[in-house]
Amino acid sequence: MKRFFKATLQIVKWAVIGVLCLEALSFAVITTTNWIIYGNLREGPKAVYDPYALFLMENGVWPTAYSKYVDNHPELSKVIWFFGGSTMRASAAPYAMSIPSLVAKKLNETEKPYAFNCFNFGVNSFNSLLESKYLEKQLIEFPIRPDLVVFYDGANDANYFAVQKTPYAHEGRERVQGVIESYYKSGYGILKPLNAAYFASFTRELLQKLLYTARPVDPNSPELAAFVDLTVKRYDFIDRLCAAEGAQFLLALQPLYWVETCAGIDAAVAAQEKDTVLGRKTFPHVRENFVTVYAALERGLAGKPYFVNLREALCGRNAPAYTADGVHNTDAGREGIAAAMLPAIRSRLSLPKTANDGGPQ
């Protein structure tokens, strides 16, 4: 019996050591990958809890350059709220090079006597679900009311659905859901710290990411159909909510390296991006999954009055538009996106078209 207990203790000890080593290895892989792709050990700046949107950035609303307003003439001042993820926030770049700043600069240069006051409510890792809650928060709390609300989406919605396979996918969903629900649903749930550690583990996160890169999304799956249906209903609701507040709504489906089908890119630029963007051959299903989800969203949103498709907006570029992950943009990429947005923004605000207008309406 003594030998049995000693052997059992050894097994338990080495099992615990094995789990800890696996967690340490997963931590090293994830943080190293973050450093290679984002130049940081973490994905984005520190987040803080928010009762509406689950979390927000600790450093608050990101500043916008070039915004203006006309004193004592509110009819000449236009307010635009921008929502999106890290591609909208662009906190790794000077704030004057974010999409809202570039839009404000161009509008205030060309649309006199109007003045445009733009706000960047982009939050790292946000998708349409979290943005819709953040919009509600700002409509309740933010003192400056919008004339136009712009959502800039696609990458995070596609990524979270491909990993989590649910219409309600968002950053941190399983961790929050696990802590709340499994206390009652599983035997070890009564051990709250252990349960929380399981859902927050690097090993679990790494396994999910590996499965995502290795497993394609079925374009005919009921989960994808439900995702598109509920996402479109979400945008329809946002359109009605904005209208009730006296504002217009614009949804822009963002361009990504992984979903472009154009052939008009400068050859030298295409070769440079091919060398820059990671995982082209290592993770072939990344491109396939993005394309599958994007195509489904395009079909679901086609014909919606608030929808503008910017999927191919950067096809005519003569400078690299994407960083290593094929999602985040260079300064030149954001300049191209802002230019492609302008015609739709002018249309929603009933501004006269200019000779420089281009891109999708």
Side-chain angles (χ1 to χ4, degrees):
M1 184 61 70
K2 185 176 180 180
R3 290 182 179 178
F4 172 77
F5 282 117
K6 186 176 180 180
T8 301
L9 184 61
Q10 287 292 318
I11 292 172
V12 171
K13 181 182 78 172
W14 286 109
V16 171
I17 291 173
V19 168
L20 292 176
C21 289
L22 181 59
E23 181 72 0
L25 176 62
S26 299
F27 168 79
V29 171
I30 290 174
T31 53
T32 302
T33 303
N34 287 342
W35 182 263
I36 293 172
I37 296 177
Y38 306 114
N40 217 316
L41 295 178
R42 298 180 177 89
E43 295 184 39
K46 186 177 179 181
V48 293
Y49 168 74
D50 181 79
Y52 285 95
L54 188 62
F55 66 91
L56 293 174
M57 297 294 94
E58 184 186 45
N59 49 7
V61 176
W62 203 236
T64 303
Y66 311 114
S67 284
K68 296 180 180 180
Y69 61 92
V70 182
D71 288 325
N72 304 318
H73 288 280
E75 73 280 2
L76 295 179
S77 295
K78 304 292 184 180
V79 176
I80 307 176
W81 288 3
F82 289 87
F83 292 82
S86 53
T87 49
M88 175 61 74
R89 188 174 182 88
S91 56
Y95 69 83
M97 291 305 298
S98 70
I99 292 170
S101 291
L102 294 169
V103 168
K105 181 181 180 181
K106 190 64 176 179
L107 287 174
N108 283 314
E109 287 175 349
T110 61
E111 299 298 332
K112 308 223 181 318
Y114 295 103
F116 298 85
N117 195 4
C118 297
F119 292 90
N120 186 349
F121 295 133
V123 177
N124 290 11
S125 302
F126 265 29
N127 66 342
S128 61
L129 192 152
L130 296 180
E131 290 160 30
S132 66
K133 304 304 295 180
Y134 192 21
L135 172 62
E136 292 178 15
K137 172 189 175 70
Q138 298 300 57
L139 287 172
I140 293 170
E141 298 180 356
F142 201 73
I144 303 175
R145 314 310 290 170
D147 296 289
L148 174 65
V149 173
V150 178
F151 272 39
Y152 182 68
D153 290 338
N156 287 340
D157 285 273
N159 180 57
Y160 297 144
F161 172 78
V163 172
Q164 300 174 24
K165 300 295 190 299
T166 170
Y168 303 106
H170 64 79
E171 171 68 13
R173 182 189 66 85
E174 290 186 323
R175 295 179 184 181
V176 176
Q177 183 181 12
V179 170
I180 292 172
E181 293 184 357
S182 62
Y183 177 73
Y184 293 98
K185 284 189 173 181
S186 64
Y188 75 91
I190 198 169
L191 302 173
K192 288 183 179 180
L194 179 62
N195 190 59
Y198 165 72
F199 281 98
S201 72
F202 289 98
T203 303
R204 192 168 183 273
E205 180 181 348
L206 180 61
L207 178 61
Q208 283 186 321
K209 290 182 176 181
L210 290 174
L211 290 175
Y212 161 58
T213 59
R215 187 172 58 192
V217 172
D218 180 2
N220 299 311
S221 68
E223 293 84 4
L224 180 58
F227 163 76
V228 172
D229 178 62
L230 290 179
T231 302
V232 173
K233 287 179 179 177
R234 186 180 304 142
Y235 287 130
D236 286 345
F237 168 75
I238 294 168
D239 185 43
R240 295 193 300 271
L241 178 61
C242 290
E245 293 288 331
Q248 295 289 315
F249 173 55
L250 173 65
L251 164 65
L253 187 65
Q254 71 187 102
L256 298 174
Y257 179 84
W258 305 104
V259 302
E260 289 179 335
T261 60
C262 49
I265 304 170
D266 179 83
V269 171
Q272 186 174 345
E273 288 181 335
K274 186 177 180 180
D275 291 337
T276 300
V277 177
L278 302 174
R280 286 172 52 87
K281 296 181 179 179
T282 309
F283 307 122
H285 291 310
V286 170
R287 180 188 291 272
E288 182 181 340
N289 287 345
F290 270 125
V291 170
T292 297
V293 178
Y294 261 58
L297 275 176
E298 281 179 317
R299 290 192 297 270
L301 290 165
K304 294 292 183 180
Y306 53 77
F307 176 60
V308 56
N309 192 347
L310 300 185
R311 175 173 171 170
E312 310 287 0
L314 298 177
C315 284
R317 61 187 178 272
N318 54 18
Y322 298 101
T323 58
D325 61 1
V327 175
H328 293 88
N329 301 108
T330 62
D331 289 348
R334 286 187 294 276
E335 287 175 342
I337 292 163
M341 274 189 184
L342 283 170
I345 289 174
R346 289 191 175 104
S347 175
R348 277 19 174 229
L349 291 175
S350 299
L351 302 175
K353 291 185 67 175
T354 73
N356 294 325
D357 276 356
Q361 292 289 326

